[in-house]
Amino acid sequence: MYESGEMYLETILVLKKSKGQVRSIDIARELNFSKPSVSRAVGKLREEEYIAVDSNGFIELTYKGKKVAKDIYEKHKVLTTFFTEVIKVSPEIAEEDACRIEHVISDETFQGLKRFLEDYNIS
């Protein structure tokens, strides 16, 4: 899975939670991307079976897509919490940095951060 694909899947997951249904236009608006860019990405994610698109254009995460999206979203939440609660970074910067780091952090480091937050009851 490539970084931009992970970002799209995470965005679909978040939009689905907040809006109930997701279409390509919703993703384009949320990410401030062009409709053609989103259309290409959605096509690729569908080909790779991370998402399914129904006849009305509504997007659903497949089991495979949901797993990736949930993993990335968990990393995002944990990183944001660590940055804001432990090292006292502003929420805006914490969000931006979490978005970048969530795609490259090793599992070992991520699990260590999770343990640290759990050990100190930080959530």
Side-chain angles (χ1 to χ4, degrees):
M1 169 67 34
Y2 46 98
E3 181 178 332
S4 64
E6 291 175 344
M7 182 180 58
Y8 276 98
L9 294 175
E10 179 184 18
T11 300
I12 293 166
L13 178 72
V14 170
L15 287 172
K16 183 95 171 129
K17 286 180 179 183
S18 67
K19 296 180 66 119
Q21 296 182 333
V22 180
R23 294 176 302 152
S24 291
I25 189 68
D26 302 315
I27 299 167
R29 287 182 183 138
E30 181 71 18
L31 297 175
N32 200 27
F33 288 173
S34 71
K35 291 180 217 170
S37 293
V38 172
S39 182
R40 279 191 302 279
V42 165
K44 187 166 185 162
L45 290 170
R46 185 171 40 190
E47 285 174 17
E48 295 171 356
E49 299 180 345
Y50 288 101
I51 63 169
V53 182
D54 72 15
S55 60
N56 294 316
F58 292 109
I59 299 168
E60 292 289 336
L61 293 166
T62 62
Y63 176 81
K64 178 179 168 182
K66 195 174 286 186
K67 179 170 178 8
V68 172
K70 284 182 174 182
D71 288 348
I72 291 297
Y73 187 60
E74 179 187 27
K75 287 177 182 178
H76 183 94
K77 290 189 320 188
V78 167
L79 287 164
T80 302
T81 298
F82 181 80
F83 296 151
T84 57
E85 300 300 320
V86 178
I87 60 175
K88 306 301 183 191
V89 174
S90 73
E92 298 79 21
I93 297 297
E95 285 285 334
E96 289 174 21
D97 288 346
C99 275
R100 288 188 208 101
I101 295 169
E102 67 195 18
H103 303 287
V104 296
I105 191 170
S106 70
D107 190 53
E108 182 178 351
T109 301
F110 176 66
Q111 293 304 322
L113 278 173
K114 275 180 60 175
R115 278 191 308 276
F116 178 86
L117 293 175
E118 289 166 2
D119 288 349
Y120 290 92
N121 292 319
I122 301 170
S123 57

